[in-house]
Each structure stands twice: as C-alpha cells, then as structure tokens.
Coordinates of all heavy atoms in Angstrom, one line a residue:
N1172 N 210.2 244.8 -40.3 CA 210.7 243.5 -40.8 C 211.1 243.7 -42.3 O 210.3 244.1 -43.1 CB 209.6 242.5 -40.7 CG 209.9 241.1 -41.2 OD1 210.9 240.9 -41.9 ND2 209.1 240.1 -40.8
F1173 N 212.3 243.4 -42.6 CA 212.8 243.6 -44.0 C 212.4 242.5 -44.9 O 212.7 242.6 -46.1 CB 214.4 243.8 -43.9 CG 214.8 244.9 -44.7 CD1 214.9 246.2 -44.2 CD2 215.3 244.7 -46.1 CE1 215.2 247.3 -45.0 CE2 215.7 245.8 -46.8 CZ 215.7 247.1 -46.3
G1174 N 211.7 241.5 -44.4 CA 211.2 240.4 -45.3 C 210.1 240.9 -46.1 O 209.8 240.2 -47.1
E1175 N 209.5 242.0 -45.8 CA 208.4 242.5 -46.6 C 208.9 243.6 -47.5 O 209.3 244.7 -47.0 CB 207.3 243.1 -45.8 CG 206.7 242.1 -44.8 CD 205.6 242.9 -43.9 OE1 204.6 243.4 -44.4 OE2 206.0 243.0 -42.7
P1176 N 209.0 243.4 -48.8 CA 209.7 244.3 -49.7 C 208.8 245.7 -49.9 O 209.4 246.7 -50.1 CB 209.8 243.6 -51.1 CG 208.8 242.5 -51.0 CD 208.6 242.2 -49.5
N1177 N 207.5 245.6 -49.7 CA 206.7 246.7 -49.8 C 205.7 246.7 -48.6 O 205.1 245.7 -48.3 CB 205.8 246.7 -51.1 CG 206.7 246.8 -52.3 OD1 207.4 247.6 -52.4 ND2 206.6 245.7 -53.1
K1178 N 205.5 247.8 -47.9 CA 204.7 248.0 -46.8 C 204.0 249.3 -46.8 O 204.6 250.3 -47.1 CB 205.6 247.9 -45.5 CG 204.8 247.7 -44.3 CD 205.7 247.2 -43.2 CE 204.9 247.0 -41.9 NZ 204.0 245.9 -42.0
Q1179 N 202.7 249.3 -46.4 CA 202.0 250.6 -46.3 C 201.6 250.7 -44.9 O 201.1 249.8 -44.2 CB 200.7 250.5 -47.2 CG 201.0 250.6 -48.6 CD 199.8 251.0 -49.5 OE1 199.0 251.7 -49.1 NE2 199.7 250.4 -50.6
I1180 N 201.7 252.0 -44.4 CA 201.4 252.3 -43.0 C 200.7 253.7 -43.0 O 200.7 254.4 -44.0 CB 202.7 252.3 -42.1 CG1 203.7 253.3 -42.5 CG2 203.3 250.9 -42.0 CD1 204.8 253.5 -41.6
N1181 N 200.2 254.1 -41.8 CA 199.7 255.4 -41.7 C 200.7 256.4 -41.0 O 201.5 255.9 -40.2 CB 198.4 255.4 -40.8 CG 197.3 254.7 -41.6 OD1 197.1 254.9 -42.8 ND2 196.5 253.8 -40.9
A1182 N 200.6 257.6 -41.3 CA 201.4 258.6 -40.6 C 201.1 258.4 -39.1 O 200.1 258.2 -38.6 CB 201.0 260.0 -41.1
G1183 N 202.2 258.5 -38.4 CA 202.1 258.3 -36.9 C 202.5 256.9 -36.5 O 202.7 256.6 -35.3
D1184 N 202.5 256.0 -37.4 CA 202.8 254.6 -37.2 C 204.3 254.4 -36.9 O 205.1 255.1 -37.5 CB 202.4 253.6 -38.2 CG 200.9 253.4 -38.3 OD1 200.1 253.9 -37.4 OD2 200.4 252.7 -39.2
A1185 N 204.7 253.5 -36.2 CA 206.1 253.1 -35.9 C 206.4 251.8 -36.5 O 205.6 250.9 -36.5 CB 206.4 253.1 -34.4
L1186 N 207.6 251.7 -37.1 CA 208.2 250.4 -37.5 C 209.4 250.0 -36.7 O 210.1 251.0 -36.3 CB 208.6 250.5 -39.0 CG 207.4 250.5 -40.0 CD1 208.0 250.5 -41.4 CD2 206.5 249.3 -39.8
Q1187 N 209.5 248.8 -36.4 CA 210.7 248.3 -35.7 C 211.5 247.4 -36.5 O 210.9 246.5 -37.2 CB 210.3 247.7 -34.4 CG 211.4 247.1 -33.5 CD 210.9 246.6 -32.2 OE1 210.7 247.4 -31.4 NE2 210.9 245.3 -32.1
W1188 N 212.8 247.5 -36.6 CA 213.7 246.6 -37.3 C 214.5 245.9 -36.2 O 215.1 246.5 -35.3 CB 214.6 247.3 -38.2 CG 213.9 247.9 -39.4 CD1 213.7 247.3 -40.6 CD2 213.4 249.3 -39.5 NE1 213.0 248.2 -41.4 CE2 212.9 249.4 -40.8 CE3 213.4 250.4 -38.7 CZ2 212.3 250.5 -41.3 CZ3 212.8 251.5 -39.2 CH2 212.3 251.6 -40.4
N1189 N 214.5 244.5 -36.3 CA 215.2 243.7 -35.4 C 216.4 243.1 -36.1 O 216.2 242.7 -37.2 CB 214.4 242.6 -34.8 CG 213.2 243.1 -34.0 OD1 213.4 243.8 -33.0 ND2 212.0 242.8 -34.4
N1190 N 217.6 243.0 -35.4 CA 218.7 242.4 -36.0 C 219.1 241.1 -35.3 O 219.6 241.2 -34.2 CB 219.9 243.4 -36.0 CG 221.1 242.9 -36.7 OD1 221.2 241.7 -37.1 ND2 222.1 243.7 -36.9
Y1191 N 218.8 240.0 -35.9 CA 219.1 238.7 -35.4 C 220.5 238.2 -35.9 O 220.8 237.0 -35.6 CB 218.0 237.7 -35.7 CG 216.7 238.2 -35.2 CD1 215.7 238.5 -36.0 CD2 216.4 238.2 -33.7 CE1 214.5 239.0 -35.5 CE2 215.3 238.6 -33.2 CZ 214.2 239.0 -34.1 OH 213.0 239.5 -33.6
D1192 N 221.2 238.9 -36.7 CA 222.5 238.5 -37.3 C 223.6 238.8 -36.4 O 223.5 239.5 -35.4 CB 222.6 239.1 -38.6 CG 221.6 238.6 -39.7 OD1 221.2 237.5 -39.5 OD2 221.3 239.4 -40.6
D1193 N 224.8 238.3 -36.8 CA 226.0 238.6 -36.0 C 226.7 239.9 -36.4 O 227.7 240.3 -35.9 CB 227.1 237.5 -36.2 CG 226.5 236.2 -35.5 OD1 225.7 236.2 -34.6 OD2 226.9 235.1 -36.1
D1194 N 226.1 240.6 -37.4 CA 226.8 241.8 -38.0 C 225.8 243.0 -37.9 O 224.6 242.8 -38.0 CB 227.1 241.5 -39.4 CG 228.2 242.5 -40.0 OD1 228.7 243.3 -39.2 OD2 228.5 242.3 -41.2
T1195 N 226.3 244.1 -37.6 CA 225.5 245.4 -37.6 C 225.0 245.7 -39.0 O 225.8 245.4 -40.0 CB 226.4 246.6 -37.1 OG1 226.8 246.3 -35.8 CG2 225.7 247.9 -37.2
F1196 N 223.9 246.2 -39.2 CA 223.4 246.6 -40.5 C 222.9 248.0 -40.4 O 222.6 248.6 -39.4 CB 222.3 245.7 -41.1 CG 221.0 245.6 -40.5 CD1 220.1 246.6 -40.6 CD2 220.7 244.5 -39.7 CE1 218.8 246.5 -40.0 CE2 219.4 244.4 -39.1 CZ 218.5 245.4 -39.2
I1197 N 222.9 248.7 -41.6 CA 222.4 250.1 -41.7 C 221.4 250.2 -42.7 O 221.4 249.7 -43.8 CB 223.7 251.0 -42.1 CG1 224.8 250.9 -41.0 CG2 223.2 252.4 -42.2 CD1 226.0 251.6 -41.5
L1198 N 220.3 250.8 -42.3 CA 219.2 251.1 -43.3 C 219.4 252.5 -43.8 O 219.5 253.5 -43.0 CB 217.9 251.1 -42.5 CG 217.5 249.8 -41.9 CD1 216.4 249.9 -40.9 CD2 217.1 248.8 -43.0
V1199 N 219.5 252.6 -45.1 CA 219.8 253.9 -45.8 C 218.5 254.3 -46.6 O 218.1 253.5 -47.5 CB 221.0 253.8 -46.7 CG1 221.2 255.1 -47.5 CG2 222.3 253.5 -45.9
E1200 N 217.9 255.4 -46.3 CA 216.8 255.9 -47.1 C 217.4 256.5 -48.4 O 218.2 257.4 -48.3 CB 216.0 257.0 -46.3 CG 214.6 257.1 -46.8 CD 214.4 257.7 -48.2 OE1 215.1 258.6 -48.5 OE2 213.6 257.1 -49.0
M1201 N 217.1 255.9 -49.5 CA 217.8 256.1 -50.8 C 217.7 257.5 -51.3 O 218.4 257.9 -52.1 CB 217.3 255.1 -51.8 CG 217.4 253.6 -51.3 SD 219.1 253.1 -50.8 CE 219.8 252.6 -52.4
N1202 N 216.6 258.2 -50.9 CA 216.4 259.6 -51.3 C 216.7 260.6 -50.3 O 216.3 261.8 -50.4 CB 214.9 259.7 -51.8 CG 214.7 258.9 -53.0 OD1 215.4 258.9 -54.0 ND2 213.6 258.1 -52.9
Q1203 N 217.4 260.2 -49.3 CA 217.9 261.1 -48.1 C 216.8 261.8 -47.5 O 217.0 263.0 -47.1 CB 219.0 262.0 -48.7 CG 220.2 261.2 -49.3 CD 221.3 262.1 -49.9 OE1 221.0 263.2 -50.2 NE2 222.4 261.5 -50.1
K1204 N 215.7 261.2 -47.3 CA 214.5 261.9 -46.6 C 214.7 261.9 -45.1 O 214.0 262.5 -44.4 CB 213.3 261.2 -47.0 CG 212.8 261.4 -48.4 CD 211.5 260.8 -48.7 CE 211.1 261.0 -50.1 NZ 209.7 260.3 -50.4
M1205 N 215.6 261.1 -44.6 CA 215.9 260.9 -43.2 C 217.3 260.3 -42.9 O 217.9 259.9 -43.9 CB 214.8 260.0 -42.5 CG 214.7 258.6 -43.2 SD 213.5 257.5 -42.6 CE 214.2 257.0 -41.1
A1206 N 217.8 260.4 -41.7 CA 219.1 259.9 -41.3 C 219.1 258.4 -41.4 O 218.1 257.7 -41.2 CB 219.5 260.4 -39.9
N1207 N 220.3 257.9 -41.6 CA 220.5 256.4 -41.6 C 220.1 255.8 -40.2 O 220.2 256.5 -39.2 CB 221.9 256.0 -41.9 CG 222.4 256.4 -43.3 OD1 221.5 256.8 -44.1 ND2 223.6 256.4 -43.6
I1208 N 219.6 254.6 -40.3 CA 219.3 253.9 -39.0 C 220.3 252.7 -38.9 O 220.4 251.8 -39.7 CB 217.9 253.4 -39.1 CG1 216.9 254.5 -39.2 CG2 217.6 252.5 -37.8 CD1 215.5 254.1 -39.4
T1209 N 221.1 252.7 -37.8 CA 222.0 251.6 -37.5 C 221.4 250.6 -36.5 O 220.9 251.1 -35.4 CB 223.3 252.2 -37.0 OG1 223.9 253.1 -37.9 CG2 224.3 251.1 -36.7
V1210 N 221.4 249.4 -36.9 CA 220.9 248.3 -36.0 C 222.0 247.4 -35.6 O 222.5 246.6 -36.5 CB 219.7 247.6 -36.6 CG1 219.1 246.7 -35.6 CG2 218.6 248.6 -37.1
R1211 N 222.5 247.4 -34.4 CA 223.5 246.6 -34.0 C 223.1 245.1 -33.8 O 221.9 244.8 -33.7 CB 224.1 247.1 -32.7 CG 224.6 248.5 -32.8 CD 225.8 248.8 -32.0 NE 226.1 250.2 -32.1 CZ 226.8 250.8 -33.1 NH1 227.1 250.2 -34.2 NH2 227.0 252.1 -33.0
S1212 N 224.1 244.2 -33.9 CA 223.8 242.8 -33.7 C 223.0 242.6 -32.4 O 223.4 243.0 -31.4 CB 225.2 242.0 -33.7 OG 224.9 240.6 -33.3
G1213 N 221.9 241.7 -32.6 CA 221.1 241.5 -31.4 C 220.2 242.7 -31.0 O 219.5 242.5 -30.0
G1214 N 220.3 243.8 -31.7 CA 219.5 245.0 -31.3 C 218.3 245.2 -32.1 O 217.9 244.4 -33.0
R1215 N 217.6 246.3 -31.8 CA 216.5 246.7 -32.6 C 216.3 248.2 -32.5 O 216.8 248.9 -31.6 CB 215.2 246.1 -32.0 CG 214.9 246.4 -30.6 CD 213.6 245.8 -30.2 NE 213.5 245.9 -28.7 CZ 213.2 244.9 -27.9 NH1 212.9 243.7 -28.4 NH2 213.2 245.0 -26.6
E1216 N 215.8 248.8 -33.6 CA 215.6 250.2 -33.7 C 214.1 250.5 -34.1 O 213.6 249.7 -35.0 CB 216.5 250.9 -34.6 CG 218.0 250.9 -34.1 CD 218.2 251.7 -32.9 OE1 217.5 252.8 -32.8 OE2 219.0 251.4 -32.2
T1217 N 213.5 251.5 -33.6 CA 212.2 251.9 -34.0 C 212.1 253.2 -34.5 O 212.9 254.1 -34.0 CB 211.3 251.8 -32.7 OG1 211.3 250.5 -32.2 CG2 209.8 252.1 -33.1
Y1218 N 211.3 253.5 -35.5 CA 211.2 254.9 -36.1 C 209.7 255.1 -36.3 O 209.0 254.3 -36.8 CB 211.9 254.9 -37.5 CG 211.9 256.3 -38.0 CD1 212.9 257.2 -37.7 CD2 211.0 256.7 -39.0 CE1 212.8 258.5 -38.2 CE2 211.0 257.9 -39.6 CZ 211.9 258.9 -39.1 OH 211.9 260.1 -39.7
I1219 N 209.3 256.3 -35.9 CA 207.9 256.7 -36.1 C 207.8 257.6 -37.3 O 208.6 258.6 -37.5 CB 207.4 257.5 -34.9 CG1 207.4 256.7 -33.6 CG2 206.0 258.1 -35.1 CD1 207.2 257.5 -32.4
F1220 N 207.0 257.2 -38.3 CA 206.9 257.9 -39.6 C 205.7 258.9 -39.4 O 204.5 258.6 -39.5 CB 206.6 256.9 -40.7 CG 207.8 256.1 -41.1 CD1 208.0 254.9 -40.3 CD2 208.5 256.4 -42.1 CE1 209.1 254.1 -40.7 CE2 209.6 255.7 -42.5 CZ 210.0 254.5 -41.8
N1221 N 206.1 260.2 -39.2 CA 205.1 261.2 -39.1 C 204.8 261.9 -40.4 O 203.8 262.7 -40.5 CB 205.6 262.2 -38.1 CG 205.6 261.7 -36.7 OD1 204.7 261.0 -36.3 ND2 206.7 261.9 -35.9
T1222 N 205.7 261.8 -41.4 CA 205.5 262.5 -42.7 C 205.1 261.5 -43.8 O 205.7 260.4 -43.9 CB 206.9 263.2 -43.1 OG1 207.3 264.0 -42.0 CG2 206.7 264.0 -44.4
T1223 N 204.0 261.9 -44.4 CA 203.5 261.0 -45.5 C 204.5 260.9 -46.7 O 205.4 261.9 -46.9 CB 202.2 261.5 -46.1 OG1 202.3 262.8 -46.6 CG2 201.1 261.5 -45.0
G1224 N 204.4 259.9 -47.5 CA 205.3 259.8 -48.7 C 205.8 258.4 -48.9 O 205.4 257.5 -48.1
T1225 N 206.7 258.2 -49.8 CA 207.3 256.9 -50.1 C 208.7 257.0 -49.7 O 209.5 257.9 -50.0 CB 207.2 256.7 -51.6 OG1 205.8 256.6 -52.0 CG2 207.8 255.3 -52.0
Y1226 N 209.1 256.0 -48.9 CA 210.5 255.9 -48.4 C 211.1 254.6 -49.0 O 210.4 253.5 -48.9 CB 210.5 255.8 -46.9 CG 209.9 257.0 -46.2 CD1 208.6 257.3 -46.1 CD2 210.8 257.9 -45.6 CE1 208.1 258.5 -45.5 CE2 210.4 259.1 -45.0 CZ 209.0 259.3 -45.0 OH 208.6 260.5 -44.3
K1227 N 212.3 254.6 -49.5 CA 212.9 253.5 -50.1 C 214.2 253.2 -49.4 O 215.1 254.0 -49.4 CB 213.1 253.7 -51.6 CG 213.8 252.6 -52.3 CD 213.9 252.9 -53.8 CE 214.5 251.8 -54.6 NZ 214.7 252.0 -55.9
F1228 N 214.2 252.1 -48.7 CA 215.4 251.8 -47.9 C 216.3 250.7 -48.5 O 215.8 249.7 -49.0 CB 214.9 251.3 -46.4 CG 214.4 252.3 -45.6 CD1 213.0 252.5 -45.5 CD2 215.1 253.1 -44.8 CE1 212.4 253.5 -44.7 CE2 214.6 254.1 -44.0 CZ 213.3 254.3 -43.9
G1229 N 217.6 250.9 -48.4 CA 218.6 249.8 -48.7 C 219.1 249.3 -47.5 O 219.4 250.0 -46.5
L1230 N 219.3 248.0 -47.4 CA 219.9 247.3 -46.3 C 221.4 247.0 -46.5 O 221.6 246.2 -47.4 CB 219.1 246.0 -46.0 CG 219.6 245.1 -44.9 CD1 219.5 245.8 -43.5 CD2 218.8 243.8 -44.8
Y1231 N 222.3 247.6 -45.8 CA 223.7 247.4 -45.9 C 224.3 246.8 -44.7 O 223.9 247.2 -43.6 CB 224.3 248.9 -46.2 CG 223.9 249.5 -47.5 CD1 222.8 250.2 -47.6 CD2 224.7 249.3 -48.6 CE1 222.4 250.8 -48.8 CE2 224.3 249.8 -49.9 CZ 223.2 250.6 -49.9 OH 222.7 251.2 -51.1
Y1232 N 225.3 246.0 -44.9 CA 226.1 245.4 -43.9 C 227.5 245.1 -44.3 O 227.7 245.1 -45.5 CB 225.4 244.2 -43.3 CG 225.1 243.1 -44.2 CD1 226.0 242.0 -44.4 CD2 223.9 243.1 -45.0 CE1 225.7 241.1 -45.4 CE2 223.7 242.1 -45.9 CZ 224.5 241.2 -46.1 OH 224.3 240.2 -47.0
N1233 N 228.4 244.9 -43.4 CA 229.8 244.8 -43.7 C 230.2 243.8 -44.7 O 231.0 244.1 -45.7 CB 230.6 244.6 -42.4 CG 230.7 245.8 -41.5 OD1 230.6 246.9 -42.0 ND2 230.8 245.6 -40.2
R1234 N 229.7 242.6 -44.7 CA 230.2 241.5 -45.5 C 229.2 241.3 -46.7 O 229.3 240.2 -47.3 CB 230.4 240.3 -44.7 CG 231.5 240.3 -43.7 CD 231.6 239.1 -43.0 NE 230.5 239.0 -42.0 CZ 230.6 238.8 -40.7 NH1 231.8 238.5 -40.2 NH2 229.7 238.8 -39.8
M1235 N 228.5 242.3 -47.0 CA 227.5 242.1 -48.2 C 228.2 242.0 -49.5 O 229.3 242.6 -49.7 CB 226.4 243.2 -48.1 CG 226.9 244.5 -48.5 SD 225.5 245.7 -48.6 CE 224.6 245.3 -49.9
R1236 N 227.6 241.3 -50.3 CA 228.1 241.1 -51.7 C 226.9 241.5 -52.6 O 225.8 241.1 -52.4 CB 228.5 239.8 -52.0 CG 229.8 239.4 -51.3 CD 230.3 238.1 -51.7 NE 231.4 237.5 -51.1 CZ 232.2 237.9 -50.1 NH1 231.9 238.9 -49.4 NH2 233.2 237.2 -49.6
G1237 N 227.1 242.3 -53.6 CA 226.1 242.6 -54.6 C 225.2 243.7 -54.1 O 225.6 244.5 -53.2
D1238 N 224.1 243.9 -54.7 CA 223.2 245.0 -54.4 C 222.5 244.8 -53.0 O 222.2 243.6 -52.6 CB 222.1 245.2 -55.4 CG 222.7 245.7 -56.8 OD1 223.8 246.3 -56.8 OD2 222.2 245.3 -57.9
P1239 N 222.1 245.9 -52.3 CA 221.4 245.7 -51.1 C 219.9 245.3 -51.3 O 219.4 245.5 -52.4 CB 221.4 247.2 -50.5 CG 221.4 248.0 -51.7 CD 222.3 247.3 -52.7
K1240 N 219.3 244.6 -50.3 CA 217.9 244.4 -50.3 C 217.2 245.7 -50.2 O 217.7 246.6 -49.5 CB 217.5 243.6 -49.1 CG 217.8 242.1 -49.2 CD 217.3 241.5 -47.9 CE 216.8 240.0 -48.2 NZ 216.3 239.4 -46.9
I1241 N 216.1 245.9 -50.8 CA 215.4 247.1 -50.8 C 214.0 246.9 -50.2 O 213.3 245.9 -50.4 CB 215.2 247.6 -52.3 CG1 216.5 247.8 -53.0 CG2 214.3 248.9 -52.3 CD1 217.3 249.0 -52.4
Q1242 N 213.6 247.9 -49.4 CA 212.2 247.9 -48.8 C 211.6 249.2 -49.1 O 212.2 250.3 -48.8 CB 212.3 247.6 -47.4 CG 210.9 247.5 -46.7 CD 211.0 247.3 -45.2 OE1 211.7 247.9 -44.5 NE2 210.2 246.3 -44.8
T1243 N 210.4 249.2 -49.6 CA 209.7 250.5 -49.8 C 208.5 250.6 -48.9 O 207.8 249.6 -48.7 CB 209.1 250.5 -51.3 OG1 210.2 250.4 -52.2 CG2 208.4 251.8 -51.6
I1244 N 208.5 251.7 -48.2 CA 207.4 251.9 -47.2 C 206.7 253.2 -47.7 O 207.3 254.2 -47.9 CB 208.0 252.2 -45.8 CG1 208.8 251.0 -45.3 CG2 207.0 252.6 -44.8 CD1 209.6 251.1 -44.1
I1245 N 205.3 253.0 -47.8 CA 204.5 254.0 -48.2 C 203.7 254.5 -47.0 O 203.0 253.7 -46.3 CB 203.5 253.6 -49.3 CG1 204.3 253.2 -50.6 CG2 202.5 254.7 -49.7 CD1 203.5 252.5 -51.6
V1246 N 203.9 255.8 -46.6 CA 203.2 256.3 -45.4 C 202.0 257.2 -46.0 O 202.2 258.2 -46.6 CB 204.2 257.2 -44.6 CG1 203.4 257.7 -43.4 CG2 205.4 256.4 -44.2
N1247 N 200.8 256.7 -45.6 CA 199.6 257.4 -46.0 C 199.1 258.3 -44.9 O 199.4 258.3 -43.7 CB 198.5 256.3 -46.2 CG 198.9 255.4 -47.4 OD1 199.2 255.8 -48.4 ND2 198.9 254.0 -47.1
V1248 N 198.2 259.2 -45.3 CA 197.5 260.1 -44.3 C 196.7 259.2 -43.4 O 196.0 258.3 -43.9 CB 196.6 261.1 -45.1 CG1 195.8 261.9 -44.0 CG2 197.4 262.1 -46.0
N1249 N 196.8 259.5 -42.1 CA 196.0 258.7 -41.1 C 194.7 259.4 -41.0 O 194.4 260.4 -40.4 CB 196.8 258.8 -39.8 CG 196.2 257.8 -38.8 OD1 195.0 257.4 -38.9 ND2 196.9 257.5 -37.8
A1250 N 193.7 258.7 -41.6 CA 192.3 259.2 -41.6 C 191.6 259.3 -40.2 O 190.7 260.0 -40.0 CB 191.4 258.4 -42.5
S1251 N 192.2 258.6 -39.3 CA 191.6 258.5 -37.9 C 192.0 259.7 -37.1 O 191.5 259.8 -35.9 CB 191.9 257.2 -37.2 OG 193.2 257.0 -36.9
Q1252 N 193.0 260.5 -37.5 CA 193.4 261.5 -36.6 C 192.9 262.9 -37.1 O 192.5 263.2 -38.2 CB 194.9 261.6 -36.7 CG 195.6 260.4 -36.1 CD 197.1 260.6 -36.0 OE1 197.7 261.4 -36.6 NE2 197.7 259.7 -35.2

C-alpha cells in the first residue's frame, strides 16, 4: 500500500501493491537495488523482500505532475528464522 510513506517488515516478508487507477504505474527503487515493478490498471504485483536494508521507491505514472510519491521500506533481520 503506497499510502504508508514508511514501512518496516522482516526479511522474507512479501508486499503487494494494488492498482485501482485507470493508468499503469511503475515503482522505481531509487538506489537501483532491484528491478522496476510495473502494476497495470486493475492489477497487483507482489514482491518478497529477502535482503535486509532500506528500499526507497518512487511511484511514477504517465500523467503525473511534479515529484513522485516516495515510500521507504526498511527490511529487518527476521529473528524467527
């Protein structure tokens, strides 16, 4: 959910992005730690974060104006594994 600007999860957790808009959007990890994630209109994409660290995503879409929304995800060591 891109409504949360900051999120903490554990390594091995999955996040899902849902697109309820009429336009495709692309999630770009700003430090190039992973490939871009494209979420088509009405679609959803899931990514499993296996590597710890801080990921900073920009949300881009065709008709955007101004700077992208930013979401920071911090992936912690999973103490239960």
Side-chain angles (χ1 to χ4, degrees):
N1172 182 346
F1173 225 82
E1175 299 176 70
N1177 299 300
K1178 187 162 186 70
Q1179 289 196 37
I1180 62 173
N1181 291 320
D1184 286 353
L1186 286 183
Q1187 179 174 285
W1188 291 274
N1189 299 301
N1190 186 350
Y1191 301 111
D1192 293 330
D1193 294 332
D1194 201 1
T1195 296
F1196 67 76
I1197 300 171
L1198 298 166
V1199 177
E1200 203 293 314
M1201 307 302 273
N1202 297 308
Q1203 302 176 344
K1204 292 182 178 180
M1205 56 185 279
N1207 296 346
I1208 299 171
T1209 301
V1210 187
R1211 304 216 181 283
S1212 175
R1215 64 178 162 226
E1216 291 294 328
T1217 302
Y1218 185 83
I1219 299 171
F1220 287 85
N1221 290 315
T1222 304
T1223 59
T1225 300
Y1226 298 79
K1227 184 177 178 181
F1228 289 94
L1230 175 66
Y1231 293 87
Y1232 54 95
N1233 287 334
R1234 293 179 285 231
M1235 71 180 286
R1236 295 191 182 1
D1238 294 330
K1240 279 184 154 180
I1241 300 294
Q1242 182 178 52
T1243 301
I1244 299 169
I1245 299 170
V1246 182
N1247 299 306
V1248 173
N1249 190 341
S1251 68
Q1252 292 184 348

